[in-house]
Amino acid sequence: MQRSMSRAYFLASTRKAALMRLRPNRLATAFAGVAMLALLAGCASTPSESAESPAASDGTFAKDDNTIVFAVLPDHEGADSDAQPIADWIAEITGKTVDFFPATDYTAVVQGLAAGQIDVAQISAFTYYQSQAAGAEIEPIGAQITEDGAAAGYYSVAIANPAWDGSTFADFADEPVCFVNPTSTSGRAIPASQLKAAGVTVAPENVLAPEGGAHDLNALKVAEGQECMVGFAQDIDADPLIKSGQLKEIERFLVPAAPIVMQTGLPQSVKDALLAEIAGSTQATLTGHGIDLNEFLSDGWFGFDAVDDKYYDSIRTVCAEVADEVEACQA
């Protein structure tokens, strides 16, 4: 989740906002040949005996009528475990067993959504954009809020090693820059847009953005200063290292909140149940189902604001601006 559960580019937020339709021909071609993943492994959540299961006659599921396949982005170590209470909540809402989709990287989630292998997912704004570009017919249930009273949204933080001799965002030019993986909203798309707006050019050989890279590992990489002295990470992973003095903050930029999405082809009764409980929810909504908040959710998640597809137009705008630099945005 972004931090994908796993925590708006133009919205107001507060200190720990964490967390995230152009059709790229390259992506569309790749996704068209994606084989169906055979196993839907991992942790599973089962509904309580009192939960009522909505009728499944008016739609389809990824696996079967008794199961919701749920995915979160592997944007930090232990993402599935951190999202377990959300999975338990979905089980209570729908009366179905919830299986975690075995996501090895962001691309696997995009492919899984496009192929109909995932029913519900907590993803980033850029992954939402990419999934639709790949042909996924999905819609947002809500967008993540991280603190009471905060608007939906979080921050992409430009970070530097304390020993770095630069001091401004403009000094990133000609430096090796550690980005998060190429499909990250706050770790790649927004940074590319902001660098371009500031007139900062990063040479291709200085763009360090490994597939499957995670925000927490990227922040640590900059703190170690071996591969790069500057980079980006989402606020929830950057802020603790900034506070401890292991990193210094250069800039921060607002990002659209990470959505929780569902397939439009799910049974309408299931979609209605998810929207009724999740959109506009808070921590109290979840605990009202008897589900305990773990440390991750207590610290970085307050609820889900109700949003629609237009909320993510800013990501489409950003992607249009940086299509020449971010391959995943290319049409």
Side-chain angles (χ1 to χ4, degrees), residues 160-163 219-220 222-225 238 240-248:
N161 187 290
L220 286 171
V222 177
E224 292 169 355
L241 297 180
I242 294 169
K243 185 176 181 179
S244 68
Q246 295 172 266
L247 289 174
K248 61 180 179 180

Side-chain angles (χ1 to χ4, degrees), residues 95-236:
K96 298 182 184 299
T97 296
V98 175
D99 285 350
F100 273 90
F101 179 83
T104 54
D105 55 27
Y106 283 40
T107 301
V109 177
V110 171
Q111 293 172 346
L113 286 166
Q117 299 169 322
I118 298 168
D119 296 307
V120 178
Q122 190 151 354
I123 54 179
S124 71
F126 191 32
T127 310
Y128 177 68
Y129 161 87
Q130 278 197 299
S131 299
Q132 289 184 326
E137 296 184 359
I138 53 176
E139 58 188 276
I141 304 171
Q144 187 165 303
I145 299 170
T146 57
E147 290 184 344
D148 189 6
Y154 66 112
Y155 285 94
S156 168
V157 186
I159 52 178
N161 187 290
W164 182 53
D165 57 8
S167 60
T168 71
F169 196 47
D171 294 330
F172 277 41
D174 301 322
E175 287 276 352
V177 181
C178 279
F179 295 94
V180 184
N181 79 72
T183 60
S184 170
T185 311
S186 57
R188 188 66 180 104
I190 295 297
S193 176
Q194 294 296 334
L195 284 165
K196 189 169 187 175
V200 178
T201 299
V202 179
E205 63 270 19
N206 284 337
V207 174
L208 307 181
E211 284 287 348
H215 287 266
D216 52 348
L217 299 180
N218 208 54
L220 286 171
K221 192 180 299 182
V222 177
E224 292 169 355
Q226 296 180 5
E227 295 182 51
C228 51
M229 296 291 280
V230 297
F232 296 88
Q234 63 187 4
D235 51 5
I236 199 168

Side-chain angles (χ1 to χ4, degrees), residues 12 26 28 44 49 82 91 111 117 135 145 175 222 238 250 252 258 261 277 281 310 317 324:
R26 298 184 191 181
E49 294 181 1
D82 287 338
Q111 293 172 346
Q117 299 169 322
I145 299 170
E175 287 276 352
V222 177
I250 306 302
R252 63 177 57 211
V261 303
E277 282 287 339
S281 63
K310 290 182 179 179
T317 299
D324 57 335

Side-chain angles (χ1 to χ4, degrees), residues 23-40:
R23 178 177 293 274
N25 291 336
R26 298 184 191 181
L27 289 175
T29 300
F31 296 153
V34 173
M36 295 290 284
L37 296 178
L39 298 176
L40 293 171

Side-chain angles (χ1 to χ4, degrees), residues 21-24 129-130 132-134 316 319-321 323 328-331:
R21 290 211 234 203
L22 304 175
R23 178 177 293 274
Y129 161 87
Q130 278 197 299
Q132 289 184 326
R316 297 175 183 119
C319 224
E321 292 172 348
C329 285
Q330 292 172 7

